[in-house]
Amino acid sequence: MTNHIVVLGAGYAGLGAAKRAARRLRSTGVRVTLVNAADRFVERVRLHQLAAGQRLPDLPLAGLLDGTGVGLVVAQVTGLDLQARTVQLDGPPYTLSYDVLVYALGSAADLDAVPGVREHAYPIATAGDAVRLRARLAGPGPVTVVGGGLTGIETAAELAETRPGLRVELLCAGPVAPGLSVRGRRHVLRAFARLGVVVREHEPVAKVGPDGVLLESGDELPARTVVWAGGFRVSPLAAASGLRTDAEGRMVVDRSLRSVSHPEVFGIGDAAAPTGERPGERSRMSCQTGLPMGLCTGDAVAGLVAGREPGPARFRHVWRNVSLGRRDGVTQFTRADDSPLDVVLTGRASAAFKESIIRGTVQAMRHPGPYRPWA
């Protein structure tokens, strides 16, 4: 019998799962507990704005959970005992027992990708990262952003727009914005030219030092601040606990998002690696997949309580939104498998569109409706 559901992580996926499950199970007596290391919901898609010195909406988890019946525990997860079905925490109540576990611990910056990153670079994967970077940027000196993906692009553009006199350089191991179409990449490069961002493509970093970076080509680039957006990693907790994981440490889950080794555990968000996907179902790091994963899992958990086995979860990519400051951007429309179409929205229209999506996502976190597969 299922009496207690524990959700680890209050990002887009975890918060959506907890609230949706609690809503479906309101009259059953089943408890839902959400565990998170901080007491705030972090809009991860806005962290480049926080680093640039902008104020973000304050979103206490207690407020987002008010009236839902979800219990909140603010503590760091330190271990899992899959046989005893318990979660170990670094603060009260120190141990939680569960009947069903939802693992949604997300991802963090990969600080061991190249030598010197951990010691000298400033990542931008968490709110704490962004605050530390903001404090660093209060001083003078050029900034080098490493990483040609969406995080690096948005950070470089935001910093250049916010501080016009700041020298900002973007280093890419391959091409900048590899997931965009030719039209989308062309707009990104035009925006960087307008903002004065120096872009160096196909320049892998070999080492980060206290005064800049060393490229694999042997060139040394001085920089007072190196911002690391060169990759992400997941917590080693899943692998250490005995859950089956992939080579990157992500929990391997089946088509219903249940662990292939421990069916009482669901894995969602960045920390999960779905197996057996049809084209278009592979998840990537985004709220566009994290929130639907959470809502789907909330419904699935509620179904388990009622004796129903969960069906397959299906996800479809629709677009990628890229900020280029507050007044410009690229919305890249995609096929279901996330490959780019030759259709983009740019400029102020794209910036406004992304802002509406972000605000709508927060609204969905407040009032999560039923899961609807994007098919």
Side-chain angles (χ1 to χ4, degrees):
M1 181 176 179
T2 300
N3 295 308
H4 192 198
I5 297 162
V6 174
V7 181
L8 306 181
Y12 296 100
L15 183 57
K19 294 189 70 170
R20 182 62 183 155
R23 179 176 174 180
R24 290 284 305 276
L25 297 169
R26 189 183 299 273
S27 61
T28 66
V30 175
R31 292 184 297 137
V32 178
T33 299
L34 178 63
V35 180
N36 199 58
D39 64 354
R40 263 35 184 189
F41 174 70
V42 176
E43 291 185 276
R44 195 166 180 176
V45 293
R46 291 193 188 273
L47 289 181
H48 55 284
Q49 296 176 240
L50 181 60
Q54 300 166 34
R55 297 188 62 180
L56 301 186
D58 185 30
L59 299 170
L61 286 171
L64 293 173
L65 296 173
D66 187 37
T68 65
V70 176
L72 175 64
V73 173
V74 179
Q76 186 83 34
V77 180
T78 58
L80 300 176
D81 187 329
L82 300 174
Q83 185 173 0
R85 296 195 182 187
T86 58
V87 179
Q88 287 80 50
L89 309 172
D90 70 349
Y94 296 103
T95 301
L96 282 174
S97 299
Y98 64 85
D99 298 296
V100 176
L101 182 70
V102 180
Y103 187 97
L105 289 179
S107 62
D110 185 356
L111 301 181
D112 299 309
V114 301
V117 171
R118 184 175 296 275
E119 295 82 5
H120 304 297
Y122 288 78
I124 189 168
T126 69
D129 290 342
V131 170
R132 285 189 290 273
L133 176 56
R134 181 180 63 189
R136 173 71 174 182
L137 293 172
V143 174
T144 294
V145 180
V146 181
L150 304 192
T151 301
I153 290 170
E154 293 188 324
T155 301
E158 202 75 44
L159 296 180
E161 181 180 85
T162 303
R163 298 179 60 183
L166 181 67
R167 175 178 169 79
V168 179
E169 191 165 27
L170 179 66
L171 298 182
C172 315
V176 69
L180 302 189
S181 64
V182 172
R183 293 177 62 191
R185 292 186 67 250
R186 187 182 299 130
H187 186 83
V188 169
L189 292 171
R190 282 200 300 262
F192 280 147
R194 171 177 55 81
L195 292 167
V197 175
V198 177
V199 179
R200 294 180 61 136
E201 298 181 285
H202 306 286
E203 291 281 16
V205 172
K207 184 178 181 180
V208 178
D211 301 311
V213 300
L214 172 67
L215 302 180
E216 289 187 359
S217 64
D219 290 346
E220 296 183 7
L221 300 180
R224 179 178 184 272
T225 303
V226 176
V227 181
W228 188 257
F232 295 86
R233 60 168 178 79
V234 299
S235 167
L237 187 64
S241 70
L243 288 161
R244 186 179 300 176
T245 57
D246 67 3
E248 299 174 359
R250 299 183 303 164
M251 185 197 310
V252 179
V253 297
D254 64 17
R255 293 175 58 80
S256 63
L257 304 180
R258 298 171 84 175
S259 165
V260 297
S261 60
H262 295 76
E264 73 280 4
V265 181
F266 286 77
I268 55 177
D270 297 352
T275 60
E277 308 94 341
R278 293 193 301 257
E281 292 182 328
R282 181 68 174 181
S283 65
R284 62 173 163 87
M285 293 173 55
S286 71
C287 59
Q288 185 181 143
T289 51
L291 180 55
M293 272 185 164
L295 299 181
C296 176
T297 298
D299 283 339
V301 169
L304 280 178
V305 173
R308 297 190 301 272
E309 287 295 306
R314 294 187 296 274
F315 304 100
R316 181 181 186 277
H317 296 291
V318 182
W319 57 65
R320 294 187 180 200
N321 279 318
V322 189
S323 295
L324 298 168
R326 295 299 85 211
R327 297 179 294 278
D328 194 4
V330 174
T331 300
Q332 173 67 65
F333 293 93
T334 68
R335 300 179 181 86
D337 65 357
D338 209 25
S339 61
L341 294 165
D342 191 28
V343 180
V344 296
L345 182 69
T346 61
R348 290 180 181 270
S350 174
F353 178 68
K354 180 176 181 180
E355 183 64 26
S356 70
I357 293 297
I358 294 174
R359 293 185 181 185
T361 300
V362 173
Q363 183 65 17
M365 305 309 290
R366 296 184 186 277
H367 307 288
Y371 164 67
R372 294 289 183 265
W374 297 352

